[in-house]
Amino acid sequence: MAGLEESDPEPMVPEADPRGDPYLRTRFAVPARPETFLRRERLVRHLDQALRTPLTMVNGAAGAGKTLLLADWAADRDTPLAWFTTDAADQGPGMFWAYLLEALRTVGVTLPPGGGSPADASQVPRTLLARLAAELSTRDRPVTLVLDEYDRVSDPEIAEQLEFVLHHAGPGLRLILVTRTEPLLPLHRYRAAGDLTEIRGAELAFTPEEAAALLALHGLRLPVSAARALVERTRGWAAGLRLCALAAQESPDPERYLKEFEADRSTVADFLLAEVLKRQSPEIQDLLLRVSVLERFCPELADALTGRCDAGPLLAGLHRDNAFVEHLGHDRYRLHPLFGEILRAHLRVREPGLEPELHRRAARWLRRSGSLTETLGHGAAAGDWEFTAGALIDDLAIGRLFTGLLADDLTELFSRMPPEARGPATDLVRAARDLSRCDLEHGLPHLHRAEQGLARERRAKDPPDSAAAELSCALLETLAARLTGAAGRAEEAAEAAGRLRERVPAHLLDEHPEITALLLAHLGSARLWAGRFEEARAALTEVADCAGGASTALLREDALGRLALIDYLGGWPGRAERKARAALTETERFGLPQPSGSGIGRLVLAAVAVDRNELRKARALLDTAGASYPAMRDPVLEAGRALATARLHLARGDTRAALEAARPAVVADTDSPWAQGQAALVAAAGHLAAGRPETAAELLEGMPDEQVGCAVGAAKARLAAGRPEAAVDLLDRISPDARSGPALTVRATLVRAQAADETGDAAGARRFVAQALHEARRDLLRRPFLEAGPWIRPLLGAAPLRALAEGWLTPGATPPEDRPPPVVEELSGRERDVLLRLAQMMSTEEIAADLYVSVNTVKTHLKSAYRKLSVNRRNDAVRRARELGLI
C-alpha cells in the first residue's frame, strides 16, 4: 500500500494525543473488505482520477458502500496513502490535527522538523499548519490522504484549516473526503478550476448487473431480471442489497424472498432506524414519520401534516445530508422507497391511528392545490369517500373512469368504497362504475338516486354549485341511451348536456376533453344504431379528430372503428379498411393497456377480409376482437360482430352457423334498420341455399328502400327464381342518391350481367362483367365473383376479361388459404420476451415469475401478440413467429 520513505528521525514525536491518551490505531487502519465484497471497476476507474486532482469527494448515504470502495481502491496504490477515520473531530481542532499528523507518520510521511503535534485539543498553532503545507509542497511524490466519515467534521474552523493546508500543499497532497454530507469547503472553486473529482449517490448505486454479481458472491444465482426488480426497490443501495442477500441465504426460497420481503421486518429496517432516523432530532423524526404517507411532497404539504412551518430547511438539510430524502427538483421531495416502507410501519407502532388523519390532511391540501389524482388516493386512504367522490365529480373528472391511463386505477380505487357512503357524488361514481361495466341493472338506480339527491340540494336555501355534477348525470344518461340503443333519449341527454356546459367553468372543460368526446361518442353511436349515418358520421368524426392525447385515445379508436363500419355498410371497403387500421394503432401508441377500446375496427377488417376471400385472416381478426371495453359493448358493436361472423360462415358454406350468428342477443329499446337488413340478407342466403328464392326475395323486399344491399339481394333472389326482368327492375328502382360504394355496385352490376346472360345478351353480359372487374380490382373484392355462380366462369376465362381478372381474382392468383396473413403491427420487445418463453414450453405463471410481472400482464402481452400475428393459439403463435424470424 503506502511506501515508507527514508528520512532523518523526527525529534520529539508524541506518543499520545493532546489529552495524554495513546493514539487509537484503528483510526489509521484501512477497513478490511468482506469475502463477499464486489469490486466495481467503473468506480475504481473513476477514483483513479483522485491522483490527478487535489480534492476528491465520495458523497453518499449511510450504507452506500463509500468506505469499502475506497478501501478496495487503496489496496492497489503504490504511492503513500494515509487513512484517518475522523471520529475524533468533535473533540476540537487540536485533536483532529494531532490524529491527522499521526496518520501521515504512520505511513512514513516526513513531517516538518520541529513540527511536533498540537498540545491543546481545542486549538492548533497556525505555524504548524503552515510548516506542514510547506513540507508537503516540496514532495516529489504526492501523499494521498483519505478522511473517512468526514461528515462528523462540523467545526468550520477545521474545514478552514484543512482548505488552507490543501491549497498551499500544491501537488504534494491529494485529499479524499468520504462523507454523507456536503463538506464545509469551497467546492465551487475546485469545480470551476477542474480540481475536484466527485462520486455521488447516483453513481454509487448498484446496477442490475452488479447486483446480480453481488448476489452470486452470496451464493444466490438470480437472473438479471430478478436483480433488476430488487434494484428498483432498493434504488441500488449497497447496504440494502447486502442485508437482503444475507437474509435470503437463510430462506428456503431465496428468489421468492428477494421479491416479497417485508422491509419493516428485516435487518434493513434495523439499519435505517438506527443509522438514519434515530440520529435525527425529535422534530425531524416527527417530520419523516408524517411525510412517509406521501409518495412525493413539497415543504408546504409537509407543513400541513406537521402543523409547523419549518419543513423547507429541514428537508433541504436531510437531502444535503444524504438522509434518504431525494430531491426531485422544483422543490419536490420523496423518501427512498425502503425507508418510506419502514417509516410507515414505525408510524403505526409509534402513533397508532394517526395515519388516516395524515391522509385526510394531505387530501385536503392537495385538493386546494389542484392535484386531483393524489387527492383521490389520499382521500380513499383516509376512508373519506364523500370527500373523495366529491373531488372527482366537482373536478368534472368522471370521464376518467371510462378512458385514459388512469381508468383502471380509478375503478379499482372506488371499488373499495363501502355501501354506507351516501350522497349524490358517491351515487354518481357508483353509477359510472357500473355503467362502465355495461351493468344497467345496477347503474341506472344509482344514477337516478344521484339525480334525486341533486334535485334536493337545488331546493335548499343555499344550494351548492352542482353544474359539474349535473353535467356528469347528463353524460351517464347518454351512455345509458347508447347501451340500450335509444337514439331519442341520447339526443335529449346530449341537448341537456349542451345547456349545462355553459354553466361549467371553461377551464374544467379544457382540462377534461374526454367529457366532450364521450358525449359525442355516445350520441354518434346511438345515431348509428338508428341508421342515421350522416348524423352519426358528423358526431363520430368530431371524436376521431379531437385532441387530448391518452385521455381520448380510447374514444378515438372506437370512433374510427364505427366510422369504418359506416363506410363498410355503404359498400366502401377501402375506406373502411383505412379507418379500421388507424383505429388499431390509436390506443397502443399511448401505452394504454392492451387490448383496449371496442375492437370494432378488427370486426370491420374481418368483414373486409371476407369480401376479399381471405378467410383465415378474417377468422383470426374475429378471434382477437373478442375482448372489448365493457362500456362500448353496445348494440352497434354486437351487431357488427354478428355481421362479420355471419359473413364468414356464409363464405365457408355453413349456412346454419351463419343464421345462428346473425341472430345475436342484442338488447335494445328500438330496432336498427341496418342490423335488420344485414340479418335479412343472411336469412335470404339460407332460403336461396334451400331452393326458396321467392321467399328470399319477399323477405328482402320488405326492408326499407334505403337498404341498398337488401335491394341488390332481392334482385339476385328474383334472378334465381328465373325472373331476370324483375331483377333488373328492382335494381333500376335504387335511388341514384344512395351513393353506394363498390362492394354494393359490383354485386348489382353482376346481377345485371347474369340477367343479360340469361336473356341471351352476351355482349351486355361481358360489358357488365368488365365493369364489375374494373370496380372490384382496386379493393380486391373477390367474394362477389365467387358467389355469382357457374355462369360467370366461361366469361372470366375468355379474352379480354381474362386479362382483367389475372393477378388478383383468377384461381392461380387468389391467396391460398394456408398462407399466413402479414403482420400488420410490429411486436413490442416485451411481447417478444413472452413469445420466447412460450417457445420454451413455459406456462403463463412461469413466464410471469421469470419476467417479474403479473400473470395478467403476461396474458395482456399474449393477446396483443396473438392479434398482431393473426393467430389464436399458443402453438400457432410460436410457429408464426418463427416463420417470420421474430424469435
Side-chain angles (χ1 to χ4, degrees):
M1 191 174 72
L4 294 175
E5 297 191 2
E6 296 294 334
S7 63
D8 295 329
E10 291 187 41
M12 302 296 294
V13 175
E15 296 181 357
D17 66 28
R19 296 191 177 185
D21 297 324
Y23 285 108
L24 300 175
R25 296 293 162 183
T26 53
R27 292 178 178 172
F28 310 134
V30 178
R33 291 158 293 167
E35 291 183 3
T36 54
F37 176 79
L38 176 71
R39 164 169 278 215
R40 294 189 281 169
E41 291 295 340
R42 63 182 176 89
L43 295 178
V44 171
R45 288 193 300 271
H46 196 171
L47 271 175
D48 287 339
Q49 294 182 33
L51 302 178
R52 299 195 292 271
T53 59
L55 179 61
T56 295
M57 180 177 65
V58 181
N59 188 337
K66 306 178 295 295
T67 297
L68 289 179
L69 169 65
L70 263 296
D72 180 55
W73 175 78
D76 291 338
R77 299 304 104 206
D78 58 0
T79 57
L81 187 145
W83 188 286
F84 171 28
T85 301
T86 57
D87 53 355
D90 59 351
Q91 299 175 20
M95 186 70 79
F96 174 84
W97 284 103
Y99 263 90
L100 190 151
L101 291 167
E102 185 62 20
L104 293 172
R105 291 190 190 96
T106 299
V107 296
V109 175
T110 303
L111 298 179
S117 182
D120 186 344
S122 63
Q123 60 183 344
V124 59
R126 186 76 170 182
T127 55
L128 188 151
L129 299 178
R131 288 197 299 271
L132 173 61
E135 180 67 22
L136 290 172
S137 69
T138 63
R139 293 179 59 84
D140 295 330
R141 302 176 68 199
V143 60
T144 302
L145 174 61
V146 178
L147 298 184
D148 193 17
E149 299 187 23
Y150 186 74
D151 47 277
R152 293 175 179 265
V153 177
S154 57
D155 189 338
E157 185 179 357
I158 295 177
E160 182 183 344
Q161 294 163 350
L162 188 62
E163 204 276 327
F164 171 83
V165 171
L166 177 61
H167 177 70
H168 292 287
L173 177 63
R174 295 290 181 261
L175 178 63
I176 301 178
L177 304 180
V178 183
T179 177
R180 297 184 187 182
T181 64
E182 207 73 351
L184 298 174
L185 290 173
L187 298 179
H188 61 282
R189 290 211 305 263
Y190 286 92
R191 286 194 191 98
D195 289 339
L196 176 63
T197 299
E198 292 183 84
I199 295 179
R200 291 185 174 270
E203 192 174 355
L204 289 168
F206 274 66
T207 66
E209 292 75 17
E210 290 170 345
L214 177 66
L215 294 169
L217 290 173
H218 289 78
L220 303 172
R221 302 288 178 181
L222 265 72
V224 173
S225 57
R228 180 176 291 107
L230 184 60
V231 166
E232 288 175 1
R233 190 172 178 194
T234 61
R235 299 270 169 85
W237 178 44
L241 290 169
R242 289 193 178 93
L243 291 171
C244 287
L246 291 170
Q249 286 179 319
E250 307 299 322
S251 171
D253 189 347
E255 186 171 348
R256 184 181 181 87
Y257 173 85
L258 291 174
K259 282 178 63 177
E260 302 175 358
F261 74 92
E262 298 180 51
D264 59 300
R265 300 183 182 180
S266 66
T267 53
V268 177
D270 298 337
F271 182 95
L272 285 173
L273 292 175
E275 289 293 320
V276 182
L277 183 65
K278 292 180 181 177
R279 287 191 175 197
Q280 309 299 334
S281 66
E283 292 79 13
I284 292 180
Q285 288 190 36
D286 180 66
L287 170 67
L288 288 171
L289 288 169
R290 287 170 181 259
V291 299
S292 69
V293 303
L294 303 170
E295 182 72 23
R296 58 190 64 207
F297 47 89
C298 63
E300 293 79 10
L301 176 54
D303 285 337
L305 268 57
T306 63
R308 303 194 305 271
C309 56
D310 57 355
L314 294 181
L315 290 170
L318 288 165
H319 169 66
R320 191 169 53 249
D321 294 346
N322 288 307
F324 291 85
V325 175
E326 303 172 9
H327 186 231
L328 304 175
H330 304 290
D331 214 22
R332 294 275 173 173
Y333 297 87
R334 70 180 174 194
L335 298 178
H336 185 287
L338 280 181
F339 194 32
E341 284 184 55
I342 291 160
L343 288 175
R344 285 191 293 276
H346 197 56
L347 173 67
R348 295 176 194 126
V349 173
R350 189 159 155 175
E351 297 197 52
L354 179 59
E355 190 173 1
E357 174 58 25
L358 293 175
H359 281 295
R360 188 173 289 106
R361 291 187 197 179
R364 277 157 175 73
W365 188 92
L366 289 162
R367 181 77 183 108
R368 292 192 297 273
S369 71
S371 179
L372 180 64
T373 302
E374 292 177 280
T375 296
L376 299 178
H378 286 291
D384 193 343
W385 291 104
E386 290 185 32
F387 168 84
T388 306
L392 182 81
I393 299 302
D394 291 343
D395 200 71
L396 199 62
I398 195 168
R400 291 187 179 178
L401 285 165
F402 299 95
T403 184
L405 294 170
L406 299 177
D408 291 342
D409 293 338
L410 289 176
T411 301
E412 193 279 328
L413 183 144
F414 282 105
S415 69
R416 306 198 301 268
M417 186 165 58
E420 57 268 21
R422 288 291 179 186
T426 54
D427 283 331
L428 264 176
V429 170
R430 289 190 182 97
R433 180 194 61 199
D434 292 336
L435 291 176
S436 73
R437 299 194 294 249
C438 205
D439 184 354
L440 290 160
E441 181 181 354
H442 293 93
L444 287 176
H446 287 312
L447 177 57
H448 296 153
R449 271 196 299 273
E451 291 169 336
Q452 292 165 3
L454 289 171
R456 285 193 298 271
E457 288 185 355
R458 287 195 297 272
R459 292 193 295 269
K461 284 187 177 181
D462 188 15
D465 184 2
S466 59
E470 291 177 51
L471 180 55
S472 299
C473 286
L475 172 65
L476 296 183
E477 286 286 0
T478 59
L479 172 57
R482 168 189 184 154
L483 294 175
T484 55
R489 182 176 162 195
E491 296 285 356
E492 291 175 5
E495 287 178 11
R499 293 190 296 271
L500 288 165
R501 282 166 54 90
E502 297 177 1
R503 292 172 44 199
V504 173
H507 73 90
L508 287 181
L509 292 170
D510 292 340
E511 292 169 7
H512 296 287
E514 70 275 3
I515 293 295
T516 301
L518 281 164
L519 284 165
L520 288 168
H522 300 334
L523 180 61
S525 188
R527 289 172 172 173
L528 173 53
W529 177 250
R532 292 152 50 189
F533 289 161
E534 292 310 310
E535 295 175 68
R537 191 192 305 275
L540 293 171
T541 299
E542 281 195 60
V543 180
D545 294 340
C546 73
S551 67
T552 55
L554 192 95
L555 303 172
R556 291 196 300 274
E557 181 270 348
D558 182 59
L560 284 167
R562 287 167 197 267
L563 287 169
L565 177 61
I566 293 173
D567 283 336
Y568 181 80
L569 293 172
W572 299 95
R575 295 180 190 174
E577 181 184 37
R578 287 190 292 275
K579 288 187 178 70
R581 290 204 182 284
L584 289 182
T585 61
E586 195 60 42
T587 54
E588 282 194 0
R589 67 192 181 101
F590 287 101
L592 292 174
Q594 297 298 319
S596 282
S598 63
I600 197 166
R602 285 187 284 275
L603 295 175
V604 172
L605 287 175
V608 171
V610 171
D611 280 350
R612 291 173 177 168
N613 204 42
E614 297 168 350
L615 305 187
R616 289 175 63 90
K617 181 178 180 179
R619 179 72 268 169
L621 285 163
L622 281 172
D623 290 341
T624 56
S628 59
Y629 194 79
M632 295 175 179
R633 293 176 195 159
D634 60 1
V636 170
L637 178 65
E638 297 308 319
R641 192 188 315 278
L643 162 63
T645 305
R647 290 267 176 105
L648 176 61
H649 287 311
L650 284 177
R652 287 180 166 170
D654 192 342
T655 306
R656 178 176 296 179
L659 289 170
E660 292 178 2
R663 294 191 293 268
V666 176
V667 179
D669 290 351
T670 58
D671 292 329
S672 169
W674 63 265
Q676 284 185 305
Q678 295 299 322
L681 281 168
V682 175
H687 287 304
L688 285 174
R692 296 189 294 271
E694 291 289 355
T695 305
E698 291 172 7
L699 176 64
L700 292 172
E701 288 172 18
M703 292 294 106
D705 291 342
E706 65 269 16
Q707 297 287 319
V708 176
C710 291
V712 174
K716 185 174 181 179
R718 291 298 185 197
L719 195 61
R723 298 170 58 193
E725 295 85 359
V728 173
D729 183 57
L730 282 174
L731 295 178
D732 288 341
R733 280 190 270 160
I734 295 176
S735 171
D737 297 331
R739 291 182 293 179
S740 301
L744 295 175
T745 57
V746 165
R747 286 182 166 85
T749 304
L750 288 177
V751 170
R752 292 182 184 276
Q754 185 177 358
D757 183 70
E758 291 185 4
T759 57
D761 184 1
R766 285 195 298 274
R767 184 176 71 255
F768 283 126
V769 171
Q771 182 181 336
L773 287 170
H774 276 294
E775 281 202 69
R777 184 169 186 168
R778 182 178 62 252
D779 293 313
L780 302 179
L781 296 172
R782 302 183 183 94
R783 286 306 308 171
F785 296 92
L786 297 175
E787 294 167 355
W791 67 270
I792 200 172
R793 291 173 192 162
L795 294 174
L796 293 176
L801 297 182
R802 183 173 62 246
L804 291 174
E806 282 178 350
W808 68 277
L809 177 62
T810 51
T814 302
E817 279 291 294
D818 58 352
R819 180 184 299 169
V823 176
V824 176
E825 302 167 61
E826 185 178 351
L827 293 177
S828 68
R830 212 49 160 169
E831 289 162 359
R832 288 172 185 258
D833 291 341
V834 171
L835 284 174
L836 280 169
R837 287 157 178 78
L838 208 63
Q840 298 168 14
M841 304 300 290
M842 294 173 68
S843 67
T844 305
E845 291 75 15
E846 290 170 335
I847 295 172
D850 196 45
L851 292 177
Y852 282 80
V853 296
S854 69
V855 171
N856 284 338
T857 299
V858 173
K859 289 179 179 178
T860 295
H861 288 311
L862 281 173
K863 287 179 180 177
S864 181
Y866 289 171
R867 174 177 61 78
K868 292 177 181 180
L869 294 170
S870 298
V871 299
N872 58 2
R873 292 186 301 180
R874 298 163 70 96
N875 292 341
D876 291 342
V878 172
R879 176 183 54 76
R880 175 90 170 100
R882 283 174 173 160
E883 286 175 356
L884 296 169
L886 299 176
I887 59 174

